[in-house]
Amino acid sequence: MKCIHCKGEMKRGTAPFHVDRNGCHVLLDAIPAWVCTQCGEAYFEGNEVDTIQDIIRSIEEKSKAFAVSA
Ligand SMILES: [Zn+2]
């Protein structure tokens, strides 16, 4: 697997991911990912992307409770 940015070698590792929704900041510290050994670009695979999207959906849903009604 090659990096699409610099054509560097990709290795299995972990990468952080930051989610910011409705005033909620969630930092996922170490998600399994392919990480470029040259530029550090991270790619998440299907399973991880699904989980991240699940988390984002949950945050969007649950954080509605904090919404200020006008
Ligand atoms: Zn790269």
Side-chain angles (χ1 to χ4, degrees):
M1 192 171 174
K2 299 269 183 229
C3 174
I4 56 162
H5 291 281
C6 70
K7 308 273 186 272
E9 198 64 39
M10 305 295 288
K11 286 225 168 101
R12 283 305 274 173
T14 60
F17 188 84
H18 180 235
V19 185
D20 215 345
R21 287 290 188 285
N22 302 328
C24 294
H25 310 282
V26 177
L27 179 63
L28 308 164
D29 241 355
I31 301 166
W34 289 94
V35 183
C36 177
T37 53
Q38 278 198 107
C39 72
E41 188 69 28
Y43 295 92
F44 300 112
E45 281 185 327
N47 272 349
E48 284 73 39
V49 171
D50 285 352
T51 304
I52 290 166
Q53 283 171 346
D54 238 42
I55 291 168
I56 292 172
R57 266 196 300 273
S58 292
I59 294 167
E60 282 175 345
E61 188 58 35
K62 310 283 182 197
S63 64
K64 280 178 190 165
F66 298 140
V68 180
S69 51

